[in-house]
């Protein structure tokens, strides 16, 4: 097929949609380090994890061997309501940039929750329901994960309790209402409803909350109520596994047109969309079949890969979760309050951390005003109002395309456009009003946060 036959949007037929998730761990020679029980320092057993997570999800979390995990029919049917997501050839952006690069993006914002998070939410809710549970608890930062989970639980008739980081709860009242419309209960975190919330509030009554703190509350709620388990929207191996649906669809569509990306770019908060997008491509690279350049993009104000340390750390502020070995800024790290661009988590997926540690993936950090400049440019050229998180990937895709303009290289660039920015207009307002600034943590700040890492 020749280049000019490639349509603006490449869709897959229903019959071409993935029937299995791809588990990149099966192809990794060095597996991601196991989760540790903080009390014993030993790897968590399935039984221990089963107190917090659903049984089938525990099995997926610990599965480093099976390359393909079949997607249950009920989940495939739900996926059909909003998938396949379009793979867009960004002809307009290429032309505007005057670059010889060929740019593609996979757009995950075509569902009400507005992001890729629904791909894992439906899977996690499905396994909870299958286990006969009454409901699930979780945290949400910017609100996308909570909304996705509320949608999935609403569909399956499961109870859904969301702890929402307090500053988001106040800044994004409409997010909250979407969740409530789908039947979820939303509590601002830290709250007085949990032991750990009360403890954090006693130490710092003015705190605006953090993801790490909301996670602690959600875990405590799940483990102290019969018939509930905790679910998490990123970081964990199981979440990357579910998100591989993005990469598998993308690869199928690209293979269909004989397109091979040179560079694959994604934003990285906890690493789930990036991990999902790159998985099948990374698998080829790990098996020695092809090579690609992978770039993770993170905010300069929360630079876990580019400035963090690779160590065992707590996943949450309250230290109730297992320890994960990952690139981390320390579980007490809270990005500056003027950071509006999302991707605020202190750690990174153990799978991506291991791949990055081995030099199989690069990472870059970008300042938020540069991110919003890219977002605005993209919105005007390609028409989609991007989420600030996604705009980190747009920034680097544009930078790479400009490099191609300078060198004349015709590289093929693929990036993940994870969601829409309709609920981020407070951040856009700051940018439009010219009052957004950049905050980059100092080495001293990071050092004092590293000092709190557990000794393992
Ligand atoms: C949550 C979110 C992210 C970051 O999460 P990852 O787990 O790193 O993918 C990125 N973009 C959007 C739109 C999100 O909602």
């Amino acid at each position: 097929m020749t280049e000019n036959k490639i349509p603006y949007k490449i869709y897959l037929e229903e019959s071409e949609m993935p029937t299995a998730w791809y588990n990149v761990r099966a192809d990794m020679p060095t597996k991601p380090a196991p989760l540790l029980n903080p009390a014993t320092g030993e790897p968590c057993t399935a039984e221990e994890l089963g107190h917090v997570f659903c049984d089938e999800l525990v099995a997926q979390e610990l599965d480093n061997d099976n390359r393909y995990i079949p997607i249950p029919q009920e989940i495939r049917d739900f996926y059909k309501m909003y998938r396949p997501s379009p793979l867009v050839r960004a002809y307009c952006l290429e032309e505007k940039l005057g670059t010889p690069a060929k740019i593609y993006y996979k757009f995950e914002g075509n569902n009400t929750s507005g992001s890729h998070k629904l791909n894992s939410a439906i899977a996690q809710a499905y396994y909870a329901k299958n286990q006969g549970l009454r409901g699930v608890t979780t945290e949400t930062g910017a609100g996308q994960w909570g909304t996705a989970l509320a949608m999935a639980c609403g569909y399956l008739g499961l109870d859904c309790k969301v702890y929402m980081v307090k500053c988001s709860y106040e800044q994004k009242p409409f997010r909250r209402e979407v969740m409530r419309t789908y039947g979820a209960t939303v509590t601002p975190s830290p709250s007085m409803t949990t032991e750990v919330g009360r403890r954090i509030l006693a130490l710092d009554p003015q705190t605006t909350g953090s993801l790490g703190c909301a996670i602690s509350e959600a875990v405590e709620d799940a483990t102290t109520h019969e018939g509930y388990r905790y679910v998490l929207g990123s970081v964990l191996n199981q979440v990357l596994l579910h998100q591989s649906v993005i990469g598998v669809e993308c690869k199928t569509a690209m293979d269909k047109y004989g397109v091979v990306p040179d560079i694959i770019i994604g934003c990285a908060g906890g690493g789930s969309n990036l991990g999902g997008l790159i998985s099948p491509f990374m698998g080829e690279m790990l098996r020695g079949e092809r090579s690609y350049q992978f770039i993770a993009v993170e905010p300069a104000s929360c630079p876990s890969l580019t400035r963090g340390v690779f160590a065992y750390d707590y996943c949450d502020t309250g230290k109730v979760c297992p320890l994960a070995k990952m690139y981390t800024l320390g579980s007490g790290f809270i990005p500056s309050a003027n950071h509006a661009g999302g991707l605020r988590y202190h750690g990174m997926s153990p799978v991506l951390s291991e791949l990055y540690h081995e030099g199989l993936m690069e990472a870059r950090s970008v300042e938020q005003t540069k991110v919003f400049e890219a977002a605005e440019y993209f919105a005007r050229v390609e028409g989609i109002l991007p989420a600030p998180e996604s705009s980190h990937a747009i920034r680097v895709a544009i930078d790479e395309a400009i490099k191609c303009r300078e060198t004349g290289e015709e590289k093929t660039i693929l990036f993940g456009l994870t969601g829409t920015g309709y609920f981020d207009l407070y951040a856009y307002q700051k940018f439009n009003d010219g009052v957004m600034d950049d905050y980059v943590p100092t080495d001293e700040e990071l050092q004092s946060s590293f000092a709190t890492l557990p000794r393992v």
Side-chain angles (χ1 to χ4, degrees), residues 115-117 144 233-234 267-274 343 387 389-390 418-419:
S115 82
H116 65 285
K117 296 218 170 61
Q144 288 96 323
S234 185
C267 63
S272 74
N273 87 83
L274 177 64
L343 310 174
E389 291 90 344
S390 324
T418 50

Side-chain angles (χ1 to χ4, degrees), residues 15-36:
S15 60
E16 297 169 311
M17 283 175 66
T19 55
W21 293 300
Y22 166 66
N23 181 9
V24 71
R25 284 168 283 161
D27 283 310
M28 289 170 69
T30 309
K31 307 300 178 192
L35 297 172
L36 298 185

Side-chain angles (χ1 to χ4, degrees), residues 413-432:
I413 299 169
L414 165 66
F415 72 91
L417 187 67
T418 50
T420 60
Y422 289 117
F423 284 107
D424 298 284
L425 293 170
Y426 179 78
Y428 273 95
Q429 182 183 16
K430 278 173 86 177
F431 178 71
N432 291 332

Side-chain angles (χ1 to χ4, degrees), residues 21-26 28 31-35 49 53 56-66 69 120 124 232-244 270-272 275-276 279 315 323-326 348-355:
W21 293 300
Y22 166 66
N23 181 9
V24 71
R25 284 168 283 161
M28 289 170 69
K31 307 300 178 192
L35 297 172
L49 290 171
F53 302 111
E56 191 58 34
L57 293 168
V58 169
Q60 294 179 356
E61 192 63 30
L62 299 175
D63 186 342
N64 286 338
D65 304 312
N66 288 301
I69 314 269
S120 184
Q124 298 195 46
L232 179 62
S234 185
V235 186
L236 296 174
N237 299 340
Q238 56 186 278
V239 184
L240 263 75
L241 175 72
H242 305 147
Q243 294 298 355
S244 72
S272 74
S279 275
C315 294
L323 301 172
K325 188 173 181 197
M326 55 187 176
M348 184 55 62
S349 137
V351 171
L352 288 189
S353 292
E354 180 59 39
L355 293 169

Side-chain angles (χ1 to χ4, degrees), residues 278-326:
I278 70 175
S279 275
F281 300 97
M282 182 61 83
E284 282 185 307
M285 187 144 117
L286 290 167
R287 296 190 301 270
E289 297 163 9
R290 250 190 198 143
S291 80
Y292 300 97
Q293 182 183 8
F294 300 104
I295 309 176
V297 192
E298 58 185 13
S301 54
C302 193
S304 43
L305 286 170
T306 50
R307 293 177 69 200
V309 291
F310 190 38
Y312 268 103
D313 193 11
Y314 300 101
C315 294
D316 61 320
T317 318
K319 306 180 179 178
V320 297
C321 290
L323 301 172
K325 188 173 181 197
M326 55 187 176

Side-chain angles (χ1 to χ4, degrees), residues 133-422:
L133 297 174
R134 194 181 307 162
V136 289
T137 71
T138 199
E139 79 296 330
T140 198
Q144 288 96 323
W145 167 245
T147 311
L149 189 68
M151 281 177 75
C153 289
Y155 179 78
L156 295 169
L158 269 181
D159 190 26
C160 178
K161 299 197 237 177
V162 180
Y163 287 85
M164 186 169 187
V165 177
K166 194 183 275 168
C167 60
S168 292
Y169 183 88
E170 284 157 7
Q171 278 175 17
K172 299 186 169 187
F174 294 150
R175 267 275 174 218
R176 186 173 80 211
E177 289 320 312
V178 181
M179 288 184 250
R180 293 179 60 207
T181 302
Y182 282 99
T185 326
V186 188
T187 308
S189 165
S191 74
M192 295 298 283
T193 48
T194 65
E195 182 87 39
V196 61
R198 289 190 289 273
R199 203 167 71 218
I200 292 167
L201 280 172
L203 284 171
D204 182 4
Q206 298 310 317
T207 179
T208 54
S210 71
L211 263 185
C213 165
I215 294 175
S216 305
E217 291 206 86
V219 171
E220 181 185 321
D221 189 328
T223 51
T224 53
H225 290 92
E226 186 70 31
Y228 283 81
R229 291 293 184 282
Y230 167 69
V231 295
L232 179 62
S234 185
V235 186
L236 296 174
N237 299 340
Q238 56 186 278
V239 184
L240 263 75
L241 175 72
H242 305 147
Q243 294 298 355
S244 72
V245 70
I246 304 172
V248 175
E249 269 183 14
C250 198
K251 188 147 194 331
T252 308
M254 290 192 131
D255 286 350
K256 195 165 147 180
Y257 285 89
V259 177
V260 181
D262 298 296
I263 311 178
I264 306 177
I265 302 165
C267 63
S272 74
N273 87 83
L274 177 64
L277 175 66
I278 70 175
S279 275
F281 300 97
M282 182 61 83
E284 282 185 307
M285 187 144 117
L286 290 167
R287 296 190 301 270
E289 297 163 9
R290 250 190 198 143
S291 80
Y292 300 97
Q293 182 183 8
F294 300 104
I295 309 176
V297 192
E298 58 185 13
S301 54
C302 193
S304 43
L305 286 170
T306 50
R307 293 177 69 200
V309 291
F310 190 38
Y312 268 103
D313 193 11
Y314 300 101
C315 294
D316 61 320
T317 318
K319 306 180 179 178
V320 297
C321 290
L323 301 172
K325 188 173 181 197
M326 55 187 176
Y327 277 84
T328 177
L329 298 169
S331 62
F333 182 84
I334 297 182
S336 151
N338 71 6
H339 170 69
L343 310 174
R344 304 172 64 96
Y345 189 61
H346 67 272
M348 184 55 62
S349 137
V351 171
L352 288 189
S353 292
E354 180 59 39
L355 293 169
Y356 177 64
H357 190 66
E358 291 176 31
L360 293 161
M361 183 180 83
E362 298 166 30
R364 291 193 201 157
S365 72
V366 285
E367 295 180 354
Q368 67 176 352
T369 51
K370 298 281 180 296
V371 168
F372 278 82
E373 277 166 22
E376 183 194 80
Y377 189 88
F378 185 83
R380 293 180 190 181
V381 177
E382 285 285 321
I384 295 171
L385 179 75
E389 291 90 344
S390 324
S391 306
H392 288 72
I394 298 175
R395 172 76 269 166
V396 170
I398 290 178
D399 291 346
E400 289 298 316
I402 290 173
K403 269 189 217 161
C404 289
R405 182 174 71 202
E406 284 155 7
T407 61
E409 285 174 290
E410 293 184 22
K411 287 189 179 169
T412 297
I413 299 169
L414 165 66
F415 72 91
L417 187 67
T418 50
T420 60
Y422 289 117

